[in-house]
Amino acid sequence: MTSNSYLKALDIARESSWFKSSHSNDATGAACISVAALANSVAVRDSKQHNGPAFISPAAAWTAFIHEVRSGRWPA
């Protein structure tokens, strides 16, 4: 990924509709994430840092990760 495409991906992530994890709460210092669906990928960020960095993953990889978590096979 070139630096231009990286910056473009972050701009897209910043402008997307984010939703907070249903497992998040408003406790001070709690580890909460926000997720945004992009065209063929998913962006994840710390919900307390709206302008902070975002992890961008291919949608298929994110779906596989969520499946593993829900099945109880992750973390091992």
Side-chain angles (χ1 to χ4, degrees), residues 3-37:
S3 61
N4 276 349
S5 60
Y6 176 74
L7 292 174
K8 188 178 289 186
L10 289 179
D11 289 340
I12 291 168
R14 284 188 190 112
E15 295 171 7
S16 297
S17 296
W18 292 88
F19 66 93
K20 196 173 183 179
S21 168
S22 60
H23 296 281
S24 296
N25 60 38
D26 292 327
T28 303
C32 304
I33 62 167
S34 296
V35 179

Side-chain angles (χ1 to χ4, degrees), residues 1-2 13 16-17 19-20 28-30 33 45 47 57 60 64 66 74-75:
M1 181 182 279
T2 66
S16 297
S17 296
F19 66 93
K20 196 173 183 179
T28 303
I33 62 167
R45 69 178 183 195
S47 62
S57 170
I66 295 301
W74 191 92

Side-chain angles (χ1 to χ4, degrees), residues 32-61:
C32 304
I33 62 167
S34 296
V35 179
L38 306 176
N40 293 312
S41 57
V42 175
V44 183
R45 69 178 183 195
D46 182 339
S47 62
K48 295 178 294 303
Q49 295 187 8
H50 293 241
N51 293 321
F55 169 76
I56 300 175
S57 170

